[in-house]
Amino acid sequence: MMSYLFGIKLYIVKIGGSYNSFLDIVKIIRHIVAMTDATTHIKDRRGRKVKASGRRPGGYHHGDLRAALIRSAVAIVAQEGIGGLTLRKTARHAGVSHAAPAHHFKDMRGLLAAVAEEGFRQMAAMMAAAQQAVAADDPLMRFKALGKAYIEFALTHVAHFKVMFHLAVADKKAYPDLHAAGDQTFGMLVTAVEDCQSVGLLADGESRTQALFAWSCVHGLSTLAVDDQLREKALPAGPDELAEAMTDHIYFGLHRV
């Protein structure tokens, strides 16, 4: 607004310092409109019209900026890796001012924590759906379904997966919502172990320890697959077959504990 007033003042000086006549007032109004159009509409790098507020046509609307920033962060990580992610780049990708992320995220770790939280919640949903596809009275298959769903999530949500286990968000207790989301997925595995123990399919023992063993196995395979470390090993099976074999080995390993 101050820039507009300053522009009006300059324009008044140009027309003689007086705006008493009707024509002078019309000229000033036209000048204001021209200034408004010029300063509130620019084009982004792709030639699309963007308002000075940073909003793209068809982009985020009030109340969904946080989600738009998370989507942009995921897209950048998918293309450039976590090392290529910055708050400024995320804002530019979302079509907002570079200061906009500060309204939702204190710093880069805050943004990464939000992406990780979303990833854990999506993983939990995928794991739950996999279990629901198995008969409720078959705890072993429900246990194995969790492991296969975990690996499938890693392969289909690579950007999320990498952020979820990045060192920057290792201290999940610093972000209560992220901590709760991570505990939810691990809790599902603990429950599956206990269900198998209750019918004698797995050996008795501390269920969280056994769940940690199972998690370590599927996470290791997932990480190798995501980082493209399996291709050069010339393995006779693809990710799906490896996931099936892995969950079998986990079961038999725990069964003999």
Side-chain angles (χ1 to χ4, degrees), residues 96-117:
V96 298
S97 72
H98 70 270
H103 295 293
H104 296 280
F105 310 110
K106 179 180 178 181
D107 50 26
M108 264 291 295
R109 288 184 63 192
L111 176 59
L112 289 172
V115 172
E117 178 193 340

Side-chain angles (χ1 to χ4, degrees), residues 186 190 193 205-216 254:
F186 186 65
V190 173
V193 167
E206 213 288 310
S207 57
R208 291 179 63 86
T209 300
Q210 295 197 24
L212 178 61
F213 171 77
W215 175 33
S216 299
L254 292 176

Side-chain angles (χ1 to χ4, degrees), residues 4 17 20 29 36 45 49 56 76-77 84 96 98 100 112 128 158 160 190-191 224 243 246 249:
Y4 292 169
N20 292 324
I29 293 174
T36 302
R45 295 169 61 185
K49 185 174 286 189
R56 288 179 180 171
I76 292 170
V77 171
V96 298
H98 70 270
L112 289 172
V158 174
H160 276 102
V190 173
T191 299
L224 289 171
M246 172 66 76
H249 286 301

Side-chain angles (χ1 to χ4, degrees), residues 140-141 144 242-254:
L140 176 58
M141 291 306 297
K144 293 177 62 177
L242 288 174
E244 182 70 35
M246 172 66 76
T247 53
D248 282 338
H249 286 301
I250 292 172
Y251 164 67
F252 288 116
L254 292 176

Side-chain angles (χ1 to χ4, degrees), residues 197-238:
Q197 287 177 324
S198 67
V199 294
L201 291 172
L202 293 181
D204 292 334
E206 213 288 310
S207 57
R208 291 179 63 86
T209 300
Q210 295 197 24
L212 178 61
F213 171 77
W215 175 33
S216 299
C217 291
V218 296
H219 184 77
L221 178 60
S222 299
T223 301
L224 289 171
V226 164
D227 291 342
D228 203 23
Q229 298 298 309
L230 299 178
R231 183 183 306 177
E232 63 180 28
K233 303 303 180 185
L235 297 171

Side-chain angles (χ1 to χ4, degrees), residues 7-18:
I8 295 170
K9 182 178 179 181
L10 290 178
Y11 192 81
I12 292 171
V13 171
K14 289 181 180 179
I15 63 174
S18 172

